[in-house]
Amino acid sequence: IPVQPQAATPVVPPPPPLKLSGIAEDEKGQQLQRTAILSSPSGVLLVQEGDVVGDYRVARVESDAIELVKDDGTAVRLTLAR
């Protein structure tokens, strides 16, 4: 019986070891500036859009979530636990 080759399963990298603990909001003039509060193995991190965390860049900080993007375009979304 011939063996059918199996399609390769794409390798999905594990998510970063980060947990979104909170979002702080501050008004700077007419602008709303958000800071994400992340828990990591090395401690608490305060990050804003454009900051780099490990292999990820903070692409967006929303009122209840944060989007991280790797150099290869892989995106990870962390949300606040409800």
Side-chain angles (χ1 to χ4, degrees):
I1 298 175
V3 176
Q4 296 279 342
Q6 293 185 355
T9 304
V11 177
V12 177
L18 301 169
K19 178 183 174 208
L20 181 59
S21 300
I23 303 283
E25 295 181 344
D26 188 24
E27 281 197 37
K28 300 269 186 179
Q30 298 291 336
Q31 285 284 75
L32 181 64
Q33 185 170 7
R34 292 188 176 116
T35 301
I37 304 161
L38 302 175
S39 298
S40 75
S42 61
V44 174
L45 304 170
L46 303 177
V47 298
Q48 296 178 337
E49 289 182 9
D51 288 350
V52 175
V53 181
D55 294 336
Y56 292 86
R57 179 183 51 79
V58 179
R60 183 176 306 134
V61 179
E62 300 171 359
S63 61
D64 63 349
I66 182 172
E67 184 176 307
L68 304 171
V69 179
K70 284 182 95 166
D71 287 341
D72 67 4
T74 304
V76 175
R77 184 175 173 83
L78 304 177
T79 57
L80 286 174
R82 297 189 183 254

